[in-house]
Amino acid sequence: MATKKRCSVRLLVFGASLRDGSMNDRLASLAAAVVEEKGGSVERASMKDFECPPYDLDVEVSKGLPAGAQALHDKLVATDGFMIASPEYNASMPGILKNTIDWVSRFRPQPFNGKQAFLMAASPSMTGGKIGLWSLRQPLEHLGARVYPDMFALAQAHHAFDASGRIADSKLQNWFETTIECFIDLVEASKHYPHLKKQWVEFLGERPDEETTRVEMGETAAAV
Ligand SMILES: Cc1cc2nc3c(=O)[nH]c(=O)nc-3n(C[C@H](O)[C@H](O)[C@H](O)COP(=O)(O)O)c2cc1C
């Protein structure tokens, strides 16, 4: 149940695993339920919606941006922030997720810029996939997303859920809920105070000539 009245906050929530029965997808479902309990609304998606071929500039030039990238772009534009539950593969993020981020980074305006983000992971390991989230934070921050400082990693996730899909450990469930509520508060604040957005976003590696948008400016920087 919502604890207070909010202005509308809409969040994209997805798990970054392709497999059926994904623990990260279960965690994403739980996060979506908590967002709604706390008064937000949810755009629920799956990594399958965002699958893209391997990034290739030649393909981009000849065929344009793929449907999976377009789908993530459109959902980012239509929401106030996003929450990803990502598996950890070899102490990093899944390649398919990084590949989709790379494709989506080619849109202008670039849709990660200025979005609030919350990162989660579920893993059978004792660390819960936290190391992978540090690697996911890096490209998102580079692209101007405001990644929430606290990240949630569900260790031993294969034993962690109860029959109703909640986290069986009530203290951990409470930690999860209160952290998400704080995140929603920040997303709401960012709607009232748009200057919370990063003001300068550089796209490294692009040619610094006039034809290329090298820097995207926020409102404060643009006013100078
Ligand atoms: C290629 C590969 C690498 C993995 N590396 C890690 C890892 O570094 N750390 C970890 O906690 N789990 C690792 N795992 C285990 C995953 O956490 C586990 O498969 C998990 O179920 C994946 O998430 P999902 O259930 O959402 O698909 C790895 C799994 C695969 C297939």
Side-chain angles (χ1 to χ4, degrees):
M1 197 169 67
T3 49
K4 60 192 169 198
K5 194 159 172 52
R6 314 184 165 274
C7 78
S8 75
V9 168
R10 187 158 180 79
L11 295 170
L12 168 63
V13 183
F14 67 97
S17 173
L18 292 172
R19 79 179 183 94
D20 293 335
S22 156
M23 292 184 289
N24 284 281
D25 200 58
R26 290 178 76 179
L27 189 60
S29 291
L30 181 59
V34 172
V35 169
E36 287 177 339
E37 282 166 21
K38 302 295 180 191
S41 69
V42 170
E43 176 72 31
R44 187 74 172 84
S46 148
M47 194 65 218
K48 286 182 179 154
D49 305 330
F50 308 140
E51 260 191 280
C52 296
Y55 180 78
D56 181 336
L57 180 57
D58 292 342
V59 173
E60 181 186 338
V61 170
S62 61
K63 295 189 180 161
L65 297 164
Q70 186 72 55
L72 179 53
H73 166 274
D74 294 351
K75 288 186 188 302
L76 287 169
V77 168
T79 48
D80 304 307
F82 61 96
M83 305 173 82
I84 305 178
S86 176
E88 176 178 286
Y89 288 168
N90 298 310
S92 186
M93 80 187 89
I96 186 168
L97 178 57
K98 176 61 164 54
N99 184 53
T100 292
I101 291 170
D102 291 342
W103 275 110
V104 173
S105 74
R106 304 298 292 173
F107 286 92
R108 296 293 180 272
Q110 186 269 102
F112 290 110
N113 188 15
K115 293 286 169 188
Q116 302 289 333
F118 186 86
L119 305 184
M120 311 163 263
S123 162
S125 76
M126 292 301 287
T127 52
K130 191 77 161 265
I131 301 169
L133 296 183
W134 284 107
S135 72
L136 175 55
R137 173 180 284 274
Q138 204 163 327
L140 295 176
E141 289 194 342
H142 170 77
L143 292 167
R146 291 307 208 190
V147 183
Y148 197 68
D150 298 330
M151 303 185 289
F152 185 83
L154 187 61
Q156 298 202 293
H158 53 312
H159 297 313
F161 294 100
D162 66 17
S164 69
R166 293 163 67 87
I167 298 167
D169 180 327
S170 59
K171 271 192 189 156
L172 206 51
Q173 172 72 23
N174 189 40
W175 195 101
F176 188 63
E177 289 179 15
T178 50
T179 305
I180 288 177
E181 187 168 23
C182 291
F183 172 66
I184 301 173
D185 280 351
L186 181 64
V187 179
E188 185 175 0
S190 74
K191 294 185 76 169
H192 294 296
Y193 300 99
H195 288 175
L196 282 173
K197 287 182 184 174
K198 191 167 177 172
Q199 293 300 311
W200 295 88
V201 179
E202 269 194 278
F203 302 110
L204 302 177
E206 297 196 348
R207 292 183 303 276
D209 56 37
E210 285 184 6
E211 279 72 41
T212 312
T213 312
R214 193 172 139 75
V215 175
E216 219 166 80
M217 288 182 289
E219 290 170 37
T220 303
V224 175

PDB file of all heavy atoms in Angstrom, residues 17 19 21-25 87-92 122-125 127-129, ligand 1:
ATOM      1  N   SER A  17      18.455 -11.247 -18.108  1.00  0.00           N
ATOM      2  CA  SER A  17      18.751 -12.624 -18.509  1.00  0.00           C
ATOM      3  C   SER A  17      17.759 -13.045 -19.586  1.00  0.00           C
ATOM      4  O   SER A  17      16.593 -12.656 -19.544  1.00  0.00           O
ATOM      5  CB  SER A  17      18.614 -13.553 -17.303  1.00  0.00           C
ATOM      6  OG  SER A  17      18.728 -14.906 -17.686  1.00  0.00           O
ATOM      7  N   ARG A  19      17.074 -16.299 -20.195  1.00  0.00           N
ATOM      8  CA  ARG A  19      16.564 -17.662 -20.006  1.00  0.00           C
ATOM      9  C   ARG A  19      15.219 -17.672 -19.279  1.00  0.00           C
ATOM     10  O   ARG A  19      14.929 -16.800 -18.444  1.00  0.00           O
ATOM     11  CB  ARG A  19      17.602 -18.519 -19.268  1.00  0.00           C
ATOM     12  CG  ARG A  19      17.676 -18.314 -17.798  1.00  0.00           C
ATOM     13  CD  ARG A  19      18.701 -19.222 -17.138  1.00  0.00           C
ATOM     14  NE  ARG A  19      18.673 -19.016 -15.702  1.00  0.00           N
ATOM     15  CZ  ARG A  19      17.937 -19.758 -14.868  1.00  0.00           C
ATOM     16  NH1 ARG A  19      17.218 -20.743 -15.320  1.00  0.00           N
ATOM     17  NH2 ARG A  19      17.953 -19.495 -13.566  1.00  0.00           N
ATOM     18  N   GLY A  21      12.745 -18.839 -16.522  1.00  0.00           N
ATOM     19  CA  GLY A  21      13.002 -19.190 -15.123  1.00  0.00           C
ATOM     20  C   GLY A  21      14.138 -18.404 -14.510  1.00  0.00           C
ATOM     21  O   GLY A  21      14.673 -18.785 -13.456  1.00  0.00           O
ATOM     22  N   SER A  22      14.514 -17.310 -15.130  1.00  0.00           N
ATOM     23  CA  SER A  22      15.614 -16.475 -14.628  1.00  0.00           C
ATOM     24  C   SER A  22      15.343 -15.953 -13.214  1.00  0.00           C
ATOM     25  O   SER A  22      14.257 -15.430 -12.924  1.00  0.00           O
ATOM     26  CB  SER A  22      15.810 -15.291 -15.581  1.00  0.00           C
ATOM     27  OG  SER A  22      16.417 -14.212 -14.917  1.00  0.00           O
ATOM     28  N   MET A  23      16.353 -16.061 -12.353  1.00  0.00           N
ATOM     29  CA  MET A  23      16.228 -15.514 -10.994  1.00  0.00           C
ATOM     30  C   MET A  23      16.217 -13.987 -11.036  1.00  0.00           C
ATOM     31  O   MET A  23      15.583 -13.341 -10.191  1.00  0.00           O
ATOM     32  CB  MET A  23      17.384 -16.009 -10.125  1.00  0.00           C
ATOM     33  CG  MET A  23      17.300 -17.502  -9.863  1.00  0.00           C
ATOM     34  SD  MET A  23      18.577 -18.099  -8.765  1.00  0.00           S
ATOM     35  CE  MET A  23      20.010 -17.962  -9.787  1.00  0.00           C
ATOM     36  N   ASN A  24      16.932 -13.421 -12.005  1.00  0.00           N
ATOM     37  CA  ASN A  24      16.926 -11.958 -12.119  1.00  0.00           C
ATOM     38  C   ASN A  24      15.582 -11.443 -12.596  1.00  0.00           C
ATOM     39  O   ASN A  24      15.148 -10.365 -12.189  1.00  0.00           O
ATOM     40  CB  ASN A  24      18.075 -11.504 -13.027  1.00  0.00           C
ATOM     41  CG  ASN A  24      19.391 -11.592 -12.283  1.00  0.00           C
ATOM     42  OD1 ASN A  24      19.717 -10.732 -11.494  1.00  0.00           O
ATOM     43  ND2 ASN A  24      20.110 -12.690 -12.491  1.00  0.00           N
ATOM     44  N   ASP A  25      14.921 -12.230 -13.443  1.00  0.00           N
ATOM     45  CA  ASP A  25      13.578 -11.829 -13.844  1.00  0.00           C
ATOM     46  C   ASP A  25      12.622 -11.904 -12.644  1.00  0.00           C
ATOM     47  O   ASP A  25      11.742 -11.052 -12.496  1.00  0.00           O
ATOM     48  CB  ASP A  25      13.096 -12.716 -14.998  1.00  0.00           C
ATOM     49  CG  ASP A  25      11.963 -12.046 -15.750  1.00  0.00           C
ATOM     50  OD1 ASP A  25      12.170 -10.930 -16.256  1.00  0.00           O
ATOM     51  OD2 ASP A  25      10.853 -12.615 -15.788  1.00  0.00           O
ATOM     52  N   PRO A  87      22.134 -10.510 -14.222  1.00  0.00           N
ATOM     53  CA  PRO A  87      23.050 -11.578 -13.803  1.00  0.00           C
ATOM     54  C   PRO A  87      24.489 -11.079 -13.821  1.00  0.00           C
ATOM     55  O   PRO A  87      24.804 -10.104 -14.525  1.00  0.00           O
ATOM     56  CB  PRO A  87      22.885 -12.656 -14.885  1.00  0.00           C
ATOM     57  CG  PRO A  87      21.694 -12.300 -15.675  1.00  0.00           C
ATOM     58  CD  PRO A  87      21.491 -10.827 -15.511  1.00  0.00           C
ATOM     59  N   GLU A  88      25.330 -11.742 -13.042  1.00  0.00           N
ATOM     60  CA  GLU A  88      26.782 -11.505 -13.123  1.00  0.00           C
ATOM     61  C   GLU A  88      27.386 -12.663 -13.907  1.00  0.00           C
ATOM     62  O   GLU A  88      27.205 -13.823 -13.541  1.00  0.00           O
ATOM     63  CB  GLU A  88      27.370 -11.475 -11.713  1.00  0.00           C
ATOM     64  CG  GLU A  88      28.885 -11.327 -11.699  1.00  0.00           C
ATOM     65  CD  GLU A  88      29.411 -11.248 -10.265  1.00  0.00           C
ATOM     66  OE1 GLU A  88      29.225 -10.197  -9.626  1.00  0.00           O
ATOM     67  OE2 GLU A  88      29.982 -12.234  -9.779  1.00  0.00           O
ATOM     68  N   TYR A  89      28.083 -12.323 -14.988  1.00  0.00           N
ATOM     69  CA  TYR A  89      28.819 -13.334 -15.751  1.00  0.00           C
ATOM     70  C   TYR A  89      30.308 -13.017 -15.647  1.00  0.00           C
ATOM     71  O   TYR A  89      30.754 -11.949 -16.088  1.00  0.00           O
ATOM     72  CB  TYR A  89      28.409 -13.315 -17.237  1.00  0.00           C
ATOM     73  CG  TYR A  89      27.026 -13.869 -17.545  1.00  0.00           C
ATOM     74  CD1 TYR A  89      26.459 -13.662 -18.800  1.00  0.00           C
ATOM     75  CD2 TYR A  89      26.300 -14.605 -16.615  1.00  0.00           C
ATOM     76  CE1 TYR A  89      25.212 -14.172 -19.108  1.00  0.00           C
ATOM     77  CE2 TYR A  89      25.040 -15.115 -16.915  1.00  0.00           C
ATOM     78  CZ  TYR A  89      24.507 -14.888 -18.164  1.00  0.00           C
ATOM     79  OH  TYR A  89      23.260 -15.388 -18.475  1.00  0.00           O
ATOM     80  N   ASN A  90      31.045 -13.927 -15.061  1.00  0.00           N
ATOM     81  CA  ASN A  90      32.497 -13.772 -14.943  1.00  0.00           C
ATOM     82  C   ASN A  90      32.885 -12.403 -14.396  1.00  0.00           C
ATOM     83  O   ASN A  90      33.675 -11.660 -14.978  1.00  0.00           O
ATOM     84  CB  ASN A  90      33.167 -14.062 -16.289  1.00  0.00           C
ATOM     85  CG  ASN A  90      32.903 -15.505 -16.700  1.00  0.00           C
ATOM     86  OD1 ASN A  90      33.106 -16.424 -15.903  1.00  0.00           O
ATOM     87  ND2 ASN A  90      32.405 -15.724 -17.907  1.00  0.00           N
ATOM     88  N   ALA A  91      32.246 -12.077 -13.279  1.00  0.00           N
ATOM     89  CA  ALA A  91      32.527 -10.839 -12.543  1.00  0.00           C
ATOM     90  C   ALA A  91      32.262  -9.581 -13.358  1.00  0.00           C
ATOM     91  O   ALA A  91      32.865  -8.527 -13.124  1.00  0.00           O
ATOM     92  CB  ALA A  91      33.963 -10.837 -12.009  1.00  0.00           C
ATOM     93  N   SER A  92      31.305  -9.680 -14.310  1.00  0.00           N
ATOM     94  CA  SER A  92      30.961  -8.518 -15.115  1.00  0.00           C
ATOM     95  C   SER A  92      29.496  -8.635 -15.520  1.00  0.00           C
ATOM     96  O   SER A  92      28.784  -9.545 -15.083  1.00  0.00           O
ATOM     97  CB  SER A  92      31.895  -8.449 -16.331  1.00  0.00           C
ATOM     98  OG  SER A  92      31.686  -7.267 -17.050  1.00  0.00           O
ATOM     99  N   ALA A 122      20.747 -11.008  -8.904  1.00  0.00           N
ATOM    100  CA  ALA A 122      20.450 -12.238  -8.160  1.00  0.00           C
ATOM    101  C   ALA A 122      21.388 -13.312  -8.671  1.00  0.00           C
ATOM    102  O   ALA A 122      21.574 -13.460  -9.881  1.00  0.00           O
ATOM    103  CB  ALA A 122      18.991 -12.653  -8.393  1.00  0.00           C
ATOM    104  N   SER A 123      21.980 -14.029  -7.732  1.00  0.00           N
ATOM    105  CA  SER A 123      22.942 -15.061  -8.118  1.00  0.00           C
ATOM    106  C   SER A 123      22.950 -16.160  -7.064  1.00  0.00           C
ATOM    107  O   SER A 123      22.716 -15.887  -5.882  1.00  0.00           O
ATOM    108  CB  SER A 123      24.339 -14.431  -8.227  1.00  0.00           C
ATOM    109  OG  SER A 123      25.323 -15.446  -8.177  1.00  0.00           O
ATOM    110  N   PRO A 124      23.247 -17.385  -7.478  1.00  0.00           N
ATOM    111  CA  PRO A 124      23.395 -18.445  -6.462  1.00  0.00           C
ATOM    112  C   PRO A 124      24.637 -18.262  -5.600  1.00  0.00           C
ATOM    113  O   PRO A 124      24.780 -18.923  -4.570  1.00  0.00           O
ATOM    114  CB  PRO A 124      23.488 -19.728  -7.299  1.00  0.00           C
ATOM    115  CG  PRO A 124      23.711 -19.319  -8.701  1.00  0.00           C
ATOM    116  CD  PRO A 124      23.366 -17.882  -8.843  1.00  0.00           C
ATOM    117  N   SER A 125      25.534 -17.382  -5.970  1.00  0.00           N
ATOM    118  CA  SER A 125      26.787 -17.223  -5.218  1.00  0.00           C
ATOM    119  C   SER A 125      26.554 -16.484  -3.904  1.00  0.00           C
ATOM    120  O   SER A 125      25.493 -15.928  -3.657  1.00  0.00           O
ATOM    121  CB  SER A 125      27.806 -16.427  -6.054  1.00  0.00           C
ATOM    122  OG  SER A 125      27.454 -15.060  -6.033  1.00  0.00           O
ATOM    123  N   THR A 127      28.070 -13.726  -3.070  1.00  0.00           N
ATOM    124  CA  THR A 127      28.156 -12.268  -3.253  1.00  0.00           C
ATOM    125  C   THR A 127      26.947 -11.716  -4.009  1.00  0.00           C
ATOM    126  O   THR A 127      26.781 -10.502  -4.100  1.00  0.00           O
ATOM    127  CB  THR A 127      29.441 -11.880  -4.011  1.00  0.00           C
ATOM    128  OG1 THR A 127      29.502 -12.654  -5.213  1.00  0.00           O
ATOM    129  CG2 THR A 127      30.676 -12.133  -3.180  1.00  0.00           C
ATOM    130  N   GLY A 128      26.124 -12.587  -4.550  1.00  0.00           N
ATOM    131  CA  GLY A 128      24.859 -12.140  -5.136  1.00  0.00           C
ATOM    132  C   GLY A 128      24.983 -11.427  -6.474  1.00  0.00           C
ATOM    133  O   GLY A 128      24.006 -10.872  -6.977  1.00  0.00           O
ATOM    134  N   GLY A 129      26.163 -11.373  -7.049  1.00  0.00           N
ATOM    135  CA  GLY A 129      26.325 -10.702  -8.348  1.00  0.00           C
ATOM    136  C   GLY A 129      26.685  -9.229  -8.240  1.00  0.00           C
ATOM    137  O   GLY A 129      26.598  -8.479  -9.220  1.00  0.00           O
TER     138      GLY A 129
HETATM  139  C1  LIG B   1      28.938 -17.729 -18.341  1.00  0.00           C
HETATM  140  C2  LIG B   1      28.513 -17.623 -16.912  1.00  0.00           C
HETATM  141  C3  LIG B   1      29.308 -16.955 -16.020  1.00  0.00           C
HETATM  142  C4  LIG B   1      28.900 -16.806 -14.686  1.00  0.00           C
HETATM  143  N1  LIG B   1      29.656 -16.078 -13.840  1.00  0.00           N
HETATM  144  C5  LIG B   1      29.202 -15.804 -12.601  1.00  0.00           C
HETATM  145  C6  LIG B   1      29.895 -14.914 -11.742  1.00  0.00           C
HETATM  146  O1  LIG B   1      30.949 -14.392 -12.071  1.00  0.00           O
HETATM  147  N2  LIG B   1      29.377 -14.664 -10.530  1.00  0.00           N
HETATM  148  C7  LIG B   1      28.199 -15.222 -10.105  1.00  0.00           C
HETATM  149  O2  LIG B   1      27.751 -14.916  -9.018  1.00  0.00           O
HETATM  150  N3  LIG B   1      27.518 -16.083 -10.887  1.00  0.00           N
HETATM  151  C8  LIG B   1      27.983 -16.380 -12.126  1.00  0.00           C
HETATM  152  N4  LIG B   1      27.283 -17.218 -12.949  1.00  0.00           N
HETATM  153  C9  LIG B   1      26.088 -17.891 -12.421  1.00  0.00           C
HETATM  154  C10 LIG B   1      24.845 -17.044 -12.622  1.00  0.00           C
HETATM  155  O3  LIG B   1      24.736 -16.150 -11.540  1.00  0.00           O
HETATM  156  C11 LIG B   1      23.622 -17.963 -12.663  1.00  0.00           C
HETATM  157  O4  LIG B   1      23.677 -18.741 -13.833  1.00  0.00           O
HETATM  158  C12 LIG B   1      22.337 -17.181 -12.606  1.00  0.00           C
HETATM  159  O5  LIG B   1      21.281 -18.094 -12.487  1.00  0.00           O
HETATM  160  C13 LIG B   1      22.136 -16.306 -13.830  1.00  0.00           C
HETATM  161  O6  LIG B   1      21.024 -15.487 -13.658  1.00  0.00           O
HETATM  162  P1  LIG B   1      19.545 -15.863 -14.171  1.00  0.00           P
HETATM  163  O7  LIG B   1      19.015 -16.910 -13.237  1.00  0.00           O
HETATM  164  O8  LIG B   1      18.798 -14.583 -14.028  1.00  0.00           O
HETATM  165  O9  LIG B   1      19.633 -16.358 -15.585  1.00  0.00           O
HETATM  166  C14 LIG B   1      27.683 -17.383 -14.269  1.00  0.00           C
HETATM  167  C15 LIG B   1      26.899 -18.096 -15.187  1.00  0.00           C
HETATM  168  C16 LIG B   1      27.311 -18.218 -16.495  1.00  0.00           C
HETATM  169  C17 LIG B   1      26.414 -18.958 -17.475  1.00  0.00           C
END
